[in-house]
Amino acid sequence: MGNGLIPLVNRLQDAFAALGQSCLLDLPQIAVVGGQSAGKSSVLENCVSRDFLPRGSGIVTRRPLVLQLVTAKTEYAEFLHCKGRKFTDFDEVRQEIEVETDRITGVNKGISSIPINLRIYSPHVLSLTLIDLPGITKVPVGDQPPDIEQQIRDMIMQFISRENCLILAVTPANTDLANSDALKLAKEVDPQGLRTIGVITKLDLMDEGTDARDVLENKLLPLRRGYIGVVNRSQKDIDGKKDIKAALLAERKFFLSHPAYRHMADRMGTPYLQKVLNQVKPDSLWYETAFIVIDLH
């Protein structure tokens, strides 16, 4: 693919953010949709090879986070609202996201459409643009309005309903695929499954004697673009600060050694997912990949 569109999209996102608005141009994008505890945050952090996203219960993402990944020789992060400051400590990146979120939304779990723009330069990333949107909530908390679920849903739908938006539907393997929040939302706007890719997480947590082979072979609920399996760090691994590189090696070992998955190991795992996202061309409108990340709670 050419390298012209992503820098242009990044500049457009920055320009709109400087005006305090979201960029609503109908650009090619990949929307990542995942239910509560589906493992979406871990998938994203694995793609960056860094822990940098806020975690917790309820709505963690309360403002759109425009995350621009840029392949570079050195690793650091920059925020549009902190011009001239380079962050090399990714714990500070997480803290800055939380502080900047609270600055606009307050500390009572409110939401805002004003984006936070974060750019990460690293030799461990592929050049992609992500927009992380607030997750769906069922019950208002704090000072949230009673219709917050509808507000968030409307915000999500304005992105994934676009015809040139590829949907990455993240679903844990230890739940019923038919009840996947991600696939349900995707089906509303893509009933034929033409622009949806399934991502199956938590394969290592399935009950003994069971597996997701039929799903990953695209036999159960077929999608034109199929499914990719990934194995993320457990909460214990995250709390224990397990290195993401070590986790990726463990993920590779899992697929190579599992009797149900080893025949397809080269088409599974986070590195393969990154490669697919970086190379995908859904139709003539797609020149590069930009993706929108949606966390459902």
Side-chain angles (χ1 to χ4, degrees):
M1 294 185 302
N3 294 317
L5 185 60
I6 286 178
L8 175 60
V9 171
N10 289 347
R11 291 196 294 272
L12 286 170
Q13 297 287 6
D14 289 352
F16 274 84
L19 297 173
Q21 299 179 17
S22 299
C23 180
L24 298 179
L25 298 178
D26 195 15
L27 298 169
Q29 31 191 242
I30 301 174
V32 183
V33 184
Q36 184 177 21
S37 300
K40 180 192 68 69
S41 292
S42 292
V43 170
L44 298 178
E45 289 181 331
N46 282 358
C47 288
V48 179
S49 293
R50 284 287 185 176
D51 293 300
F52 70 96
L53 292 173
R55 293 178 180 270
S57 60
I59 304 176
V60 177
T61 302
R62 294 185 285 123
R63 291 175 58 183
L65 175 66
V66 179
L67 178 60
Q68 301 166 350
L69 303 181
V70 182
T71 306
K73 293 182 179 179
T74 57
E75 185 178 53
Y76 63 93
E78 294 179 333
F79 287 94
L80 186 64
H81 65 272
C82 297
K83 288 186 177 179
R85 181 180 176 188
K86 293 184 178 181
F87 291 75
T88 56
D89 185 334
F90 281 78
D91 285 336
E92 292 183 4
V93 171
R94 180 190 299 106
Q95 293 166 11
E96 184 61 33
I97 293 172
E98 294 171 345
V99 169
E100 178 61 14
T101 296
D102 290 346
R103 185 179 70 82
I104 297 296
T105 65
V107 297
N108 291 315
K109 302 297 184 180
I111 65 170
S112 170
S113 62
I114 300 174
I116 297 173
N117 283 55
L118 169 63
R119 188 171 295 170
I120 295 178
Y121 298 85
S122 172
H124 309 301
V125 304
L126 297 178
S127 293
L128 299 167
T129 296
L130 311 84
I131 306 175
D132 192 0
L133 300 176
I136 288 178
T137 185
K138 303 295 182 182
V139 180
V141 297
D143 295 333
Q144 291 175 350
D147 66 338
I148 190 168
E149 179 183 359
Q150 189 61 46
Q151 286 186 32
I152 294 173
R153 180 182 174 85
D154 290 345
M155 190 185 301
I156 291 170
M157 295 301 285
Q158 77 178 7
F159 288 98
I160 68 171
S161 61
R162 298 174 184 176
E163 287 300 318
N164 65 345
C165 176
L166 191 73
I167 304 167
L168 205 65
V170 181
T171 302
N174 56 355
T175 61
D176 184 358
L177 197 67
N179 293 324
S180 164
D181 291 330
L183 289 174
K184 283 181 179 178
L185 271 182
K187 192 170 184 179
E188 284 188 38
V189 295
D190 180 32
Q192 303 302 317
L194 301 180
R195 53 187 180 91
T196 301
I197 295 176
V199 175
I200 307 300
T201 63
K202 303 189 179 183
L203 291 162
D204 55 326
L205 300 182
M206 297 188 72
D207 291 337
E208 187 175 353
T210 65
D211 60 62
R213 178 171 176 168
D214 285 348
V215 174
L216 294 175
E217 290 182 342
N218 209 21
K219 295 177 180 177
L220 192 59
L221 291 175
L223 297 172
R224 178 180 174 182
R225 301 178 185 276
Y227 294 82
I228 298 172
V230 298
V231 176
N232 298 323
R233 293 172 300 165
S234 67
Q235 189 59 50
K236 181 179 179 181
D237 291 335
I238 294 169
D239 294 340
K241 303 294 184 181
K242 182 175 181 178
D243 182 71
I244 291 179
K245 292 180 181 178
L248 292 176
L249 289 174
E251 177 188 56
R252 178 66 174 163
K253 182 179 179 180
F254 172 84
F255 285 114
L256 287 172
S257 61
H258 198 290
Y261 310 130
R262 58 191 176 202
H263 69 290
M264 57 178 115
D266 289 341
R267 293 178 283 110
M268 297 291 126
T270 303
Y272 180 75
L273 175 61
Q274 289 178 284
K275 181 180 178 181
V276 168
L277 295 179
N278 189 251
Q279 294 181 346
V280 70
K281 289 185 179 180
D283 54 43
S284 60
L285 295 176
W286 289 71
Y287 305 104
E288 293 281 2
T289 57
F291 65 102
I292 295 175
V293 182
I294 302 167
D295 187 12
L296 304 180
H297 291 283

